[in-house]
Amino acid sequence: MTLRGRLTAAFLVVVLGPVLLGALFVASTVSAVDRSRSTERLAVAASTVRTSVDALCQQLRATADAVALTADPAVAAAQLVGRGLAAAVLITDMTGQITYVSPGAPSTPWRGCSSSTTGSASPVRALAAQVDLRDRAGALKGTVTAAELVDPAFVARLAAVTGVAVTLLDSGASAARVTHTTESRDVRDAVLAAASAVDGEQVTETNEGRYVRRIGPSDAQPLPLVVSVPSERPPGLHATLVVVVVVAGLLAVLTAWRLARVTTRPLAELAGAVDRVAHGDLTARVPVRSRDELGRLAAAFNRMTRETGSYVAALTSNRDQLRGHLAVLGDTLASTHDLQRILRVILHSAIGATGARAGAVLLVETGGVLVAQCTEGLDGRWPDGDAAGAQTFRVPVGVGVVGAVAATGEPQRGRAEPTEASPVEPRCRTYVAVPFAAPGGTAAATLSGASGPPDEAGVAAALGVLALYDRLGADEFDDDDLETLRTFAGHAAVAVDNVRVHEEAQRLSLTDPLTGLWNYRYLRESIRREVERASRFGRMLSVLALDLDRFKDVNDTYGHAAGDTVLAEFARRMRAEIREVDLAFRQGGEEFVLLLPETDARGAAIVADRLGAAVRETPIAVEAYAGPVVVTVSVGIAVYPDNGSTGREVLEAADDALYAAKAAGRDTYRVAEVRPAVTTREIPVLAGAVSPPDGLPRAGQPVQATREPGGHARSEPAVGVPEGAPAHARPDPASEPADIDADAARAGPDAARPGPGGGASSGPHPPRQSRGR
């Protein structure tokens, strides 16, 4: 077979095979989907019918129960029938004699709600629920039956509820006779014939294209019903598919013959050139012998090989450059939470990857304003020679190019027109700007601080914008540059989100969720830091331990929700009474701690008195309670260094003073007692280093001092110190005092610390009054 024949046959197989398979698949799929949907509709209709009949039976039982429980059943029956709760009520005595029946009641017997068989071939006139009628002693007096008409309106309501055609049969034994139906006359006989041939509640299909299912009678649904739905399969589907396959076959034969005829001649040359390119020879060329499709194919092949060679060289260079940018970017994202540094690296990488001359990263801040976090290459691009424009790059959301990108959430690229230049944006010839939002959700939820006019859609639609200006070596930024910038914008979004999540996690780990104050964890760190600062600069630090008096009574009397309200309000009032430099903590429960830097005991007492008055004089209003809650606070005050040399000691002293305030009757404050002086001993140390005669260092131990029985100290050389060492290498016994004086003892352990001049410090500075206390 020739190449033309093989191409024709292959084309026919490739084209007609899928066409035939597609036609068969469409036919079978449409039929299967149609049957599945119809079966599902009938199942939903059957469930709806059972639910509707069950609801009606429940209503009838409730009506019969209401009649049976009243003193005058006849009057109650008339009232309930008048309200439309039942079509009729029948009351019989023990002998079965009718004592009352509603006027216009349907003829009996009525079909019971719990009956699963008809019992007769008579049509169903009414659906009824029966209950026993008893006297006050519980003796059976008769029965009460409530009924509802089963008429064409009833069947029409079922059809309207289920959305399918409903037919009510005369009996449940067969489907030969019809009582009421919503089926049209032209399909009624076919539906009844199909229903007669099916067992149980199976679904069958008629020749007219309707799906039929029988429902009941059963315990849950006593009515013999038949439901049907029309087929959704398009008419004449199979004939249409056959015509489509035949037409497609004819078109395929003609197209295959034509294509084989015009493509076989130059294929050998093209195949040879392709083979050379496949072996890596990008210099292969195909001679262009005509101007038809194959000639254009040959010219396109030659152009493709030339451009492929250029692209390979450029891709090799760009690959190495991109690897470097990604390495720097990955290391920065993984090793720091410094947002400015991360954004600078992202901007630099984006500029290098796209070949832009300048760019900026802007974030949306409070008030709906984009503020530049980092810029590059924007000097000299501002209107009117504004040299400080790069440092004050601020654009309202919705203004200019970057403002519109932030407002709409859609990237933009193009050429800047001089007549449309924005006074708040840098001047440029071309631009591309991409928004970035928080990953995993909308940026509007992340930018809780961003605000703006509510009618401006998308004001908080982005975390920020990554914008680049003036691409090198090209007129405008293309789609590839836009996709590359999207990637870097995604990195920027992740970086901003990670930094904000990190900051929020740090804040949540150190604050109390109820009051918003610092928690006990941050208290331990803060008191250590403040004590070190006070010791370094010779200042005082006051610690206040606060406890709400009888707070358990508040919880027991008004509930824990009221207690939480009291704690939150107390925290608010406490923050209102302290300075910005003061620190407030919730230690746990109703216990709080205040750190007052550079404040002595007198200033702390003033603060404690103000706090007590702020709580005592204005009761706290609690929602859902008639009156305000009156609480008081007890305060314990301790001062560093008077009451301790460490933060823990000062805090314990404040706690002891708090217990003293509680013991003094509460609603007051007490200052901790100054700790007694601690007796200390002076330890002699080596006055100077011992240098050997040769000037080289030697390993040795310092001189150890011992005390004679008479109280005088004497020095003995340590191991490794020769007896013949110079005199200055040994301590002078006369210079060792027998005991330390009283002033040094009162100075505390800080007295032994080296001072700036090299000697021992005289201890902390004298107490100073705090400013403004």
Side-chain angles (χ1 to χ4, degrees), residues 4 65 76 92 117 126 204 320 337 365 544 546 551 563 605 608 610 629 636 654 664 769:
R4 182 180 301 177
D65 284 334
T92 61
T117 58
T204 185
D320 297 336
H337 286 108
E365 295 190 353
L544 276 65
L546 305 95
F551 184 73
R610 286 209 307 260
V629 177
Q769 295 291 338

Side-chain angles (χ1 to χ4, degrees), residues 659-681:
Y659 283 112
K662 291 282 189 181
R666 297 182 174 85
D667 192 17
T668 186
Y669 67 87
R670 288 292 183 270
V671 181
E673 297 180 358
V674 179
R675 62 176 181 172
V678 180
T679 305
T680 58
R681 291 185 55 191

Side-chain angles (χ1 to χ4, degrees), residues 362 370 381-386 389 392-405 412 415-429 431 469:
L362 303 94
L370 284 164
R381 293 177 175 266
W382 300 97
D384 302 329
D386 185 5
T392 59
F393 191 3
R394 301 171 62 89
V395 180
V397 173
V399 177
V401 173
V402 295
V405 170
Q412 293 188 17
R415 179 177 296 276
E417 298 296 335
T419 57
E420 300 177 358
S422 173
V424 294
E425 291 185 288
R427 292 177 297 185
C428 63
R429 293 188 302 275
Y431 63 87
Y469 302 100

Side-chain angles (χ1 to χ4, degrees), residues 75-386:
V75 175
Q79 292 177 350
L80 294 175
V81 170
R83 294 178 183 177
L85 298 178
V89 175
L90 176 65
I91 304 176
T92 61
D93 57 11
M94 290 291 296
T95 62
Q97 295 297 323
I98 298 174
T99 61
Y100 173 82
V101 63
S102 299
S107 60
T108 58
W110 299 340
R111 178 64 57 84
C113 286
S114 59
S115 175
S116 61
T117 58
T118 61
S120 66
S122 61
V124 180
R125 304 298 182 189
L127 190 62
Q130 180 178 332
V131 298
D132 294 332
L133 179 63
R134 298 179 184 273
D135 58 11
R136 293 185 177 181
L140 182 63
K141 294 173 58 180
T143 60
V144 178
T145 306
E148 182 65 34
L149 287 175
V150 178
D151 53 4
F154 176 82
V155 176
R157 288 197 300 272
L158 286 181
V161 171
T162 58
V164 299
V166 180
T167 301
L168 176 64
L169 304 178
D170 281 357
S171 66
S174 67
R177 293 181 298 174
V178 176
T179 302
H180 307 295
T181 182
T182 61
E183 295 280 3
S184 60
R185 292 183 179 273
D186 53 347
V187 299
R188 181 183 304 172
D189 294 337
V191 170
L192 293 178
S196 300
V198 70
D199 295 329
E201 295 191 358
Q202 297 179 352
V203 177
T204 185
E205 184 179 4
T206 67
N207 294 330
E208 286 75 14
R210 295 186 70 86
Y211 292 88
V212 183
R213 175 174 176 171
R214 297 188 64 175
I215 306 175
S218 62
D219 292 337
Q221 202 285 105
L223 300 178
L225 299 175
V226 175
V227 294
S228 70
V229 293
S231 172
E232 298 178 355
R233 184 170 57 247
L237 175 65
H238 296 89
T240 303
L241 291 177
V242 170
V243 172
V244 169
V245 170
V246 172
V247 172
L250 294 176
L251 293 177
V253 171
L254 294 175
T255 304
W257 179 81
R258 177 64 180 171
L259 289 177
R261 182 174 178 274
V262 299
T263 56
T264 52
R265 286 176 294 182
L267 286 179
E269 296 177 351
L270 184 61
V274 169
D275 186 69
R276 291 172 58 190
V277 172
H279 287 83
D281 184 9
L282 295 178
T283 62
R285 300 291 183 269
V286 177
V288 180
R289 304 184 183 278
S290 63
R291 295 184 179 182
D292 58 3
E293 291 81 358
L294 286 176
R296 291 197 298 270
L297 177 62
F301 178 83
N302 295 336
R303 185 170 61 255
M304 179 190 67
T305 54
R306 288 193 300 270
E307 293 180 358
T308 301
S310 301
Y311 284 148
V312 168
L315 287 175
T316 302
S317 175
N318 290 339
R319 179 196 61 189
D320 297 336
Q321 184 180 10
L322 186 59
R323 284 177 179 176
H325 288 314
L326 291 178
V328 174
L329 181 60
D331 293 341
T332 305
L333 290 175
S335 62
T336 181
H337 286 108
D338 184 357
L339 182 59
Q340 298 297 327
R341 177 185 173 189
I342 294 175
L343 294 181
R344 282 195 301 271
V345 172
I346 291 174
L347 177 60
H348 180 73
S349 302
I351 290 176
T354 58
R357 295 179 182 271
V361 180
L362 303 94
L363 297 183
V364 180
E365 295 190 353
T366 304
V369 178
L370 284 164
V371 179
Q373 304 298 314
C374 60
T375 60
E376 186 171 337
L378 294 182
D379 295 338
R381 293 177 175 266
W382 300 97
D384 302 329
D386 185 5

Side-chain angles (χ1 to χ4, degrees), residues 543-549 570 592 594 604-605 607-609 611-612 633-638 654-662 666-672:
V543 179
L544 276 65
L546 305 95
D547 186 273
L548 294 178
D549 299 327
F570 174 72
F592 299 83
L594 282 178
V607 174
D609 191 56
L611 287 174
V633 62
S634 298
V635 185
I637 301 173
D655 219 18
D656 294 339
L658 173 62
Y659 283 112
K662 291 282 189 181
R666 297 182 174 85
D667 192 17
T668 186
Y669 67 87
R670 288 292 183 270
V671 181

